[in-house]
Amino acid sequence: MQHPLALQIGAAALLAWLGGCESGAVAASSRAGGATASGRFEPPPERTSEVMPGGATSISQPAGAPPAFDLPAANLRPDQRTAFYAGRALARQPWVKAPSSTDARDGLGPLYNARSCLACHVRGGRGRVSTADGQLSTATLVRLSLPGRDPSVGVLPEPTYGTQLQLRSIALREQLPGSGGRSGVRLSSIPAEAGVAVRWLEQAYRYPDGSEVVLRRPEIALEGLGYGPLHAETRIGLRHTPPLHGLGLLALIDQEDIARLADPDDRDGDGVSGRQNRVWDPIDGRARPGRFGLKANQASLRVQVAAALRTDVGITSSVFPEQPCTAAQPRCQRAPGGALAGEAEISDDLLALLVGFVRSIGVPRRRTADHPLVRRGRGLFYRTGCASCHAPSFVTGSDPSAPHLSGQEIWPYTDLLLHDMGPGLSDGRRDYLAAGSEWRTPPLWGVGLARAVRKDVGLLHDGRARTVEEAVLWHDGEARASRERYAGLAARDRRALLSFVRSL
Ligand code: HEC
Ligand code: HEC
C-alpha cells in the first residue's frame, strides 16, 4: 500500500532538467560565467602530496583484507593506538538493554535504529540502502519534521514521533499482578515507530551524444506506524550513512579558511554560492557554524557522536541527557535506563574514547594517481568546475591534543559549505539555515573505495547513486553548469574524469 506521505522527489523537476539536457549539449566553455576567461578553472600543477590525501595520517589498505574506513591513522603513536582500538571496540560491540550485568554497555533504546555505530557505518563506511525484500536498511535513517524550526534543534519535530523514526524497540519485563499467591513476569515490546518499504523509481538520463544511463531514486512508504498517524504537514527525508574516515582532519580546518570559500550572494557571478550552516552547540550553549552531518547541522564531532548515540542507539550522554521519547510515548519514557538516576548511560570517558576513535581514522592513500587516464581526468575535474565546491586542499590548524592531525596538508575535495543542488535532490526539509535542496559538499577522498568496503552502498544523501557517474548526473542547482560541462565532454573524457574521482 502506498502511504499518502510516500516520499516524492520532484519528478517534474527531474523531467525538466532531463529534457533540458537532451535538447542541446552545452559546450564546455559557454556556461562558464566568465570563469574560463579568467582562468579560474585552469588546473593547478600536480603536487606529490596529492597521493596522500590525509597527509601523514594516510594509510595503505592491508594486503589480503578487504579495505576499510575504520583503520588507525598511519602516524598514531603506540599509546594513541591502544586508545583507538578501545574506541573502535566500543563503536563495534552491540549495546544491550538495561538492566544487565555489563553496566558500561547497557541502556540500548527504548527506541533505536541499530545496536552499534558500526552496524550502520559498516567497517567505518556506508551501509546499504535497502534490503532484498524491499525494506529500507537499518543504515538509512528517516528524518521527520514540520515546517518551521526550533532554534536549538534546527527543525520542528513531528509531535508524536520526534525528528527521526526509530524502527526498533526493546521489550520490557512487566510484573503481572499475582493471582492465587503466584506472580509472574511477562516480556512486552514497546511499539517500534514504523516499518519502511522502499521502491526504486528508474529514469533514463541521455547524454548529449545519445548514450544513456539509468538513474534511480527512492520512494518510501511508511507501514505500521506504532503511535498513530503523522501530522499532516510532516516532511520526510532520507539519510544514507556517510563514511567516518578523515573527520578529525576536517575538524581542524580553520574556520576562516572555510568562511573565505563561502559566497552566499554569489558576488563573483559564477553561479556557485555556498554558505555555512549556523547551528546550536549544546556543549557551549551558543550558535556556531555547522561542519558535520550531511546538512552541516552539527558543530563538532563530540556533539555529532553524542547525537548519534541518542537518536540512533538510544544512549544518553552528558551532552544529550534525554531519551528521544516524545510525550505521546509514555512507555518509552518510563522504561528503565542503563544509568543511575541523574547520570548518563555513557560516561564522559567512554564518549571521549568513541570521539577519539572517529577523529583518528586514517584516510586511504590514492591508488592509481599516475595512470595517464587519471591524470587527464584530473585536469577535466578542474576545467568542468567540480573544484568550485569540491575544494581540493587545505592545511589543518594545530591542536596540542592531536599532534598527528595538526599542520597536515590534506586533499579532502570539499569546502564543507552548503550548496543548493536543485529540486531533484531536495527533501523539502529545512535544517537550521539549510533549505531542503541544500547539502554540504561531501568529501571525495576515499570515494573510489566505497564499493570495495561494502559492495551494495550508494552515494548522495539518500544513497540513490550506484556509481560516481550517477552521482554526478544528479547534480543540479548551483552545480548545474558544472554537470552540463561534464555531460558535454566526449565519452573518453567523461571516462577520464570519472577515473580521476575513483582514484581519490
Ligand atoms: C542507524 C544507523 C546509524 C548508526 C547506529 C550511527 N550512525 Fe552515524 N550516521 C548515520 C547517518 C545516516 C548519518 C548522516 C546523518 C545526517 O547527516 O543527517 C550519520 C552521520 C555520522 C557522522 C557525521 C559524518 C560527517 O561526514 O559529517 C558521524 C561522525 C557519525 N555518524 C558517527 C557515528 C557514531 C560514532 C555512531 C555510534 C555512536 C553512529 N554514528 C551511529 C547512520 C548511523
Ligand atoms: C555547486 C557545488 C558542486 C559542484 C560544482 C559539484 N559538486 Fe559534487 N556534490 C556537491 C554536493 C552538495 C553533493 C551532495 C549532494 C547530495 O548528497 O544530495 C555532491 C556529491 C558528489 C558526489 C557523491 C559523493 C558522496 O559521497 O555521496 C560525487 C562523486 C561528486 N559530487 C562529484 C562531482 C564532480 C565530478 C563534479 C564536477 C563534474 C561535481 N561533483 C561538482 C556539490 C557540488
PDB file of all heavy atoms in Angstrom, residues 422-446:
ATOM      1  N   GLY A 422      19.404  21.811  -6.284  1.00  0.00           N
ATOM      2  CA  GLY A 422      18.253  21.742  -7.185  1.00  0.00           C
ATOM      3  C   GLY A 422      17.129  20.878  -6.628  1.00  0.00           C
ATOM      4  O   GLY A 422      17.315  20.119  -5.678  1.00  0.00           O
ATOM      5  N   PRO A 423      15.929  20.993  -7.236  1.00  0.00           N
ATOM      6  CA  PRO A 423      14.740  20.315  -6.708  1.00  0.00           C
ATOM      7  C   PRO A 423      14.819  18.793  -6.749  1.00  0.00           C
ATOM      8  O   PRO A 423      14.226  18.118  -5.920  1.00  0.00           O
ATOM      9  CB  PRO A 423      13.609  20.830  -7.603  1.00  0.00           C
ATOM     10  CG  PRO A 423      14.274  21.427  -8.798  1.00  0.00           C
ATOM     11  CD  PRO A 423      15.643  21.851  -8.396  1.00  0.00           C
ATOM     12  N   GLY A 424      15.556  18.221  -7.695  1.00  0.00           N
ATOM     13  CA  GLY A 424      15.627  16.758  -7.802  1.00  0.00           C
ATOM     14  C   GLY A 424      16.285  16.119  -6.592  1.00  0.00           C
ATOM     15  O   GLY A 424      16.054  14.956  -6.290  1.00  0.00           O
ATOM     16  N   LEU A 425      17.151  16.868  -5.881  1.00  0.00           N
ATOM     17  CA  LEU A 425      17.815  16.320  -4.696  1.00  0.00           C
ATOM     18  C   LEU A 425      17.224  16.890  -3.407  1.00  0.00           C
ATOM     19  O   LEU A 425      17.735  16.626  -2.318  1.00  0.00           O
ATOM     20  CB  LEU A 425      19.332  16.604  -4.747  1.00  0.00           C
ATOM     21  CG  LEU A 425      20.135  15.750  -5.737  1.00  0.00           C
ATOM     22  CD1 LEU A 425      21.587  16.220  -5.830  1.00  0.00           C
ATOM     23  CD2 LEU A 425      20.099  14.282  -5.354  1.00  0.00           C
ATOM     24  N   SER A 426      16.155  17.666  -3.523  1.00  0.00           N
ATOM     25  CA  SER A 426      15.585  18.278  -2.307  1.00  0.00           C
ATOM     26  C   SER A 426      14.750  17.277  -1.522  1.00  0.00           C
ATOM     27  O   SER A 426      14.054  16.445  -2.090  1.00  0.00           O
ATOM     28  CB  SER A 426      14.696  19.456  -2.701  1.00  0.00           C
ATOM     29  OG  SER A 426      14.056  19.976  -1.545  1.00  0.00           O
ATOM     30  N   ASP A 427      14.799  17.368  -0.187  1.00  0.00           N
ATOM     31  CA  ASP A 427      13.882  16.567   0.624  1.00  0.00           C
ATOM     32  C   ASP A 427      12.838  17.467   1.290  1.00  0.00           C
ATOM     33  O   ASP A 427      12.085  17.013   2.151  1.00  0.00           O
ATOM     34  CB  ASP A 427      14.625  15.730   1.664  1.00  0.00           C
ATOM     35  CG  ASP A 427      15.325  16.567   2.717  1.00  0.00           C
ATOM     36  OD1 ASP A 427      15.276  17.805   2.633  1.00  0.00           O
ATOM     37  OD2 ASP A 427      15.928  15.979   3.636  1.00  0.00           O
ATOM     38  N   GLY A 428      12.830  18.744   0.918  1.00  0.00           N
ATOM     39  CA  GLY A 428      11.799  19.653   1.423  1.00  0.00           C
ATOM     40  C   GLY A 428      11.883  19.925   2.919  1.00  0.00           C
ATOM     41  O   GLY A 428      10.944  20.432   3.508  1.00  0.00           O
ATOM     42  N   ARG A 429      13.019  19.557   3.544  1.00  0.00           N
ATOM     43  CA  ARG A 429      13.148  19.734   4.997  1.00  0.00           C
ATOM     44  C   ARG A 429      14.216  20.759   5.306  1.00  0.00           C
ATOM     45  O   ARG A 429      15.371  20.599   4.910  1.00  0.00           O
ATOM     46  CB  ARG A 429      13.608  18.430   5.640  1.00  0.00           C
ATOM     47  CG  ARG A 429      12.547  17.460   5.971  1.00  0.00           C
ATOM     48  CD  ARG A 429      13.175  16.275   6.698  1.00  0.00           C
ATOM     49  NE  ARG A 429      13.264  16.481   8.120  1.00  0.00           N
ATOM     50  CZ  ARG A 429      14.405  16.483   8.804  1.00  0.00           C
ATOM     51  NH1 ARG A 429      15.565  16.341   8.212  1.00  0.00           N
ATOM     52  NH2 ARG A 429      14.369  16.647  10.107  1.00  0.00           N
ATOM     53  N   ARG A 430      13.850  21.785   6.035  1.00  0.00           N
ATOM     54  CA  ARG A 430      14.825  22.780   6.464  1.00  0.00           C
ATOM     55  C   ARG A 430      15.536  22.250   7.701  1.00  0.00           C
ATOM     56  O   ARG A 430      14.923  21.618   8.550  1.00  0.00           O
ATOM     57  CB  ARG A 430      14.069  24.077   6.758  1.00  0.00           C
ATOM     58  CG  ARG A 430      14.873  25.200   7.313  1.00  0.00           C
ATOM     59  CD  ARG A 430      14.101  26.501   7.234  1.00  0.00           C
ATOM     60  NE  ARG A 430      14.072  26.999   5.870  1.00  0.00           N
ATOM     61  CZ  ARG A 430      15.069  27.697   5.322  1.00  0.00           C
ATOM     62  NH1 ARG A 430      16.135  28.002   6.009  1.00  0.00           N
ATOM     63  NH2 ARG A 430      14.986  28.112   4.081  1.00  0.00           N
ATOM     64  N   ASP A 431      16.838  22.511   7.818  1.00  0.00           N
ATOM     65  CA  ASP A 431      17.597  22.086   8.995  1.00  0.00           C
ATOM     66  C   ASP A 431      18.511  23.260   9.373  1.00  0.00           C
ATOM     67  O   ASP A 431      19.473  23.546   8.653  1.00  0.00           O
ATOM     68  CB  ASP A 431      18.402  20.833   8.653  1.00  0.00           C
ATOM     69  CG  ASP A 431      18.850  20.081   9.893  1.00  0.00           C
ATOM     70  OD1 ASP A 431      19.003  20.729  10.950  1.00  0.00           O
ATOM     71  OD2 ASP A 431      19.049  18.854   9.805  1.00  0.00           O
ATOM     72  N   TYR A 432      18.187  23.980  10.469  1.00  0.00           N
ATOM     73  CA  TYR A 432      18.806  25.276  10.739  1.00  0.00           C
ATOM     74  C   TYR A 432      18.683  26.124   9.481  1.00  0.00           C
ATOM     75  O   TYR A 432      17.586  26.248   8.952  1.00  0.00           O
ATOM     76  CB  TYR A 432      20.260  25.135  11.220  1.00  0.00           C
ATOM     77  CG  TYR A 432      20.369  24.495  12.582  1.00  0.00           C
ATOM     78  CD1 TYR A 432      20.728  23.161  12.718  1.00  0.00           C
ATOM     79  CD2 TYR A 432      20.094  25.217  13.740  1.00  0.00           C
ATOM     80  CE1 TYR A 432      20.822  22.564  13.971  1.00  0.00           C
ATOM     81  CE2 TYR A 432      20.185  24.628  15.002  1.00  0.00           C
ATOM     82  CZ  TYR A 432      20.549  23.310  15.108  1.00  0.00           C
ATOM     83  OH  TYR A 432      20.636  22.729  16.343  1.00  0.00           O
ATOM     84  N   LEU A 433      19.807  26.650   8.949  1.00  0.00           N
ATOM     85  CA  LEU A 433      19.684  27.523   7.771  1.00  0.00           C
ATOM     86  C   LEU A 433      19.536  26.745   6.469  1.00  0.00           C
ATOM     87  O   LEU A 433      19.166  27.304   5.442  1.00  0.00           O
ATOM     88  CB  LEU A 433      20.931  28.420   7.655  1.00  0.00           C
ATOM     89  CG  LEU A 433      21.256  29.309   8.851  1.00  0.00           C
ATOM     90  CD1 LEU A 433      22.435  30.205   8.515  1.00  0.00           C
ATOM     91  CD2 LEU A 433      20.040  30.162   9.224  1.00  0.00           C
ATOM     92  N   ALA A 434      19.853  25.452   6.499  1.00  0.00           N
ATOM     93  CA  ALA A 434      19.879  24.681   5.244  1.00  0.00           C
ATOM     94  C   ALA A 434      18.469  24.421   4.734  1.00  0.00           C
ATOM     95  O   ALA A 434      17.634  23.879   5.452  1.00  0.00           O
ATOM     96  CB  ALA A 434      20.600  23.352   5.460  1.00  0.00           C
ATOM     97  N   ALA A 435      18.214  24.791   3.483  1.00  0.00           N
ATOM     98  CA  ALA A 435      16.923  24.505   2.859  1.00  0.00           C
ATOM     99  C   ALA A 435      16.910  23.039   2.411  1.00  0.00           C
ATOM    100  O   ALA A 435      17.942  22.366   2.431  1.00  0.00           O
ATOM    101  CB  ALA A 435      16.729  25.423   1.666  1.00  0.00           C
ATOM    102  N   GLY A 436      15.730  22.565   1.997  1.00  0.00           N
ATOM    103  CA  GLY A 436      15.598  21.174   1.569  1.00  0.00           C
ATOM    104  C   GLY A 436      16.586  20.778   0.487  1.00  0.00           C
ATOM    105  O   GLY A 436      17.090  19.653   0.465  1.00  0.00           O
ATOM    106  N   SER A 437      16.880  21.699  -0.421  1.00  0.00           N
ATOM    107  CA  SER A 437      17.753  21.348  -1.546  1.00  0.00           C
ATOM    108  C   SER A 437      19.228  21.631  -1.258  1.00  0.00           C
ATOM    109  O   SER A 437      20.068  21.429  -2.128  1.00  0.00           O
ATOM    110  CB  SER A 437      17.323  22.138  -2.785  1.00  0.00           C
ATOM    111  OG  SER A 437      17.409  23.522  -2.497  1.00  0.00           O
ATOM    112  N   GLU A 438      19.540  22.115  -0.049  1.00  0.00           N
ATOM    113  CA  GLU A 438      20.941  22.422   0.257  1.00  0.00           C
ATOM    114  C   GLU A 438      21.616  21.279   1.010  1.00  0.00           C
ATOM    115  O   GLU A 438      21.086  20.783   2.009  1.00  0.00           O
ATOM    116  CB  GLU A 438      21.043  23.701   1.108  1.00  0.00           C
ATOM    117  CG  GLU A 438      20.850  24.963   0.301  1.00  0.00           C
ATOM    118  CD  GLU A 438      20.970  26.211   1.162  1.00  0.00           C
ATOM    119  OE1 GLU A 438      20.224  26.330   2.154  1.00  0.00           O
ATOM    120  OE2 GLU A 438      21.807  27.063   0.843  1.00  0.00           O
ATOM    121  N   TRP A 439      22.785  20.905   0.549  1.00  0.00           N
ATOM    122  CA  TRP A 439      23.574  19.826   1.160  1.00  0.00           C
ATOM    123  C   TRP A 439      25.011  20.290   1.309  1.00  0.00           C
ATOM    124  O   TRP A 439      25.503  21.081   0.497  1.00  0.00           O
ATOM    125  CB  TRP A 439      23.526  18.563   0.288  1.00  0.00           C
ATOM    126  CG  TRP A 439      22.122  18.082   0.088  1.00  0.00           C
ATOM    127  CD1 TRP A 439      21.311  18.345  -0.984  1.00  0.00           C
ATOM    128  CD2 TRP A 439      21.333  17.320   1.017  1.00  0.00           C
ATOM    129  NE1 TRP A 439      20.068  17.773  -0.776  1.00  0.00           N
ATOM    130  CE2 TRP A 439      20.059  17.145   0.439  1.00  0.00           C
ATOM    131  CE3 TRP A 439      21.587  16.753   2.273  1.00  0.00           C
ATOM    132  CZ2 TRP A 439      19.039  16.434   1.080  1.00  0.00           C
ATOM    133  CZ3 TRP A 439      20.578  16.043   2.899  1.00  0.00           C
ATOM    134  CH2 TRP A 439      19.315  15.896   2.302  1.00  0.00           C
ATOM    135  N   ARG A 440      25.684  19.739   2.321  1.00  0.00           N
ATOM    136  CA  ARG A 440      27.113  20.040   2.481  1.00  0.00           C
ATOM    137  C   ARG A 440      27.888  19.265   1.421  1.00  0.00           C
ATOM    138  O   ARG A 440      27.620  18.082   1.202  1.00  0.00           O
ATOM    139  CB  ARG A 440      27.578  19.574   3.873  1.00  0.00           C
ATOM    140  CG  ARG A 440      29.032  19.849   4.153  1.00  0.00           C
ATOM    141  CD  ARG A 440      29.535  19.033   5.349  1.00  0.00           C
ATOM    142  NE  ARG A 440      29.579  17.602   5.044  1.00  0.00           N
ATOM    143  CZ  ARG A 440      30.024  16.669   5.875  1.00  0.00           C
ATOM    144  NH1 ARG A 440      30.446  16.988   7.081  1.00  0.00           N
ATOM    145  NH2 ARG A 440      30.036  15.400   5.528  1.00  0.00           N
ATOM    146  N   THR A 441      28.818  19.915   0.750  1.00  0.00           N
ATOM    147  CA  THR A 441      29.641  19.195  -0.231  1.00  0.00           C
ATOM    148  C   THR A 441      30.326  18.029   0.477  1.00  0.00           C
ATOM    149  O   THR A 441      31.051  18.247   1.449  1.00  0.00           O
ATOM    150  CB  THR A 441      30.742  20.103  -0.819  1.00  0.00           C
ATOM    151  OG1 THR A 441      30.152  21.338  -1.228  1.00  0.00           O
ATOM    152  CG2 THR A 441      31.431  19.443  -1.989  1.00  0.00           C
ATOM    153  N   PRO A 442      30.088  16.789   0.039  1.00  0.00           N
ATOM    154  CA  PRO A 442      30.747  15.677   0.729  1.00  0.00           C
ATOM    155  C   PRO A 442      32.215  15.580   0.308  1.00  0.00           C
ATOM    156  O   PRO A 442      32.547  15.877  -0.834  1.00  0.00           O
ATOM    157  CB  PRO A 442      29.970  14.448   0.251  1.00  0.00           C
ATOM    158  CG  PRO A 442      29.293  14.861  -1.015  1.00  0.00           C
ATOM    159  CD  PRO A 442      29.187  16.353  -1.036  1.00  0.00           C
ATOM    160  N   PRO A 443      33.092  15.171   1.239  1.00  0.00           N
ATOM    161  CA  PRO A 443      34.483  14.972   0.841  1.00  0.00           C
ATOM    162  C   PRO A 443      34.552  13.843  -0.187  1.00  0.00           C
ATOM    163  O   PRO A 443      33.767  12.897  -0.108  1.00  0.00           O
ATOM    164  CB  PRO A 443      35.188  14.544   2.139  1.00  0.00           C
ATOM    165  CG  PRO A 443      34.176  14.535   3.223  1.00  0.00           C
ATOM    166  CD  PRO A 443      32.834  14.848   2.652  1.00  0.00           C
ATOM    167  N   LEU A 444      35.455  13.932  -1.129  1.00  0.00           N
ATOM    168  CA  LEU A 444      35.567  12.856  -2.128  1.00  0.00           C
ATOM    169  C   LEU A 444      36.731  11.910  -1.833  1.00  0.00           C
ATOM    170  O   LEU A 444      36.886  10.898  -2.524  1.00  0.00           O
ATOM    171  CB  LEU A 444      35.707  13.444  -3.542  1.00  0.00           C
ATOM    172  CG  LEU A 444      34.505  14.245  -4.061  1.00  0.00           C
ATOM    173  CD1 LEU A 444      34.772  14.761  -5.476  1.00  0.00           C
ATOM    174  CD2 LEU A 444      33.222  13.403  -4.042  1.00  0.00           C
ATOM    175  N   TRP A 445      37.558  12.228  -0.805  1.00  0.00           N
ATOM    176  CA  TRP A 445      38.666  11.299  -0.528  1.00  0.00           C
ATOM    177  C   TRP A 445      38.096   9.927  -0.176  1.00  0.00           C
ATOM    178  O   TRP A 445      37.122   9.812   0.552  1.00  0.00           O
ATOM    179  CB  TRP A 445      39.614  11.841   0.532  1.00  0.00           C
ATOM    180  CG  TRP A 445      39.035  12.261   1.860  1.00  0.00           C
ATOM    181  CD1 TRP A 445      37.797  11.990   2.387  1.00  0.00           C
ATOM    182  CD2 TRP A 445      39.700  13.060   2.851  1.00  0.00           C
ATOM    183  NE1 TRP A 445      37.657  12.560   3.615  1.00  0.00           N
ATOM    184  CE2 TRP A 445      38.804  13.211   3.936  1.00  0.00           C
ATOM    185  CE3 TRP A 445      40.970  13.655   2.939  1.00  0.00           C
ATOM    186  CZ2 TRP A 445      39.127  13.936   5.081  1.00  0.00           C
ATOM    187  CZ3 TRP A 445      41.281  14.368   4.084  1.00  0.00           C
ATOM    188  CH2 TRP A 445      40.368  14.505   5.131  1.00  0.00           C
ATOM    189  N   GLY A 446      38.648   8.898  -0.769  1.00  0.00           N
ATOM    190  CA  GLY A 446      38.191   7.537  -0.474  1.00  0.00           C
ATOM    191  C   GLY A 446      36.944   7.108  -1.230  1.00  0.00           C
ATOM    192  O   GLY A 446      36.550   5.949  -1.152  1.00  0.00           O
TER     193      GLY A 446
END
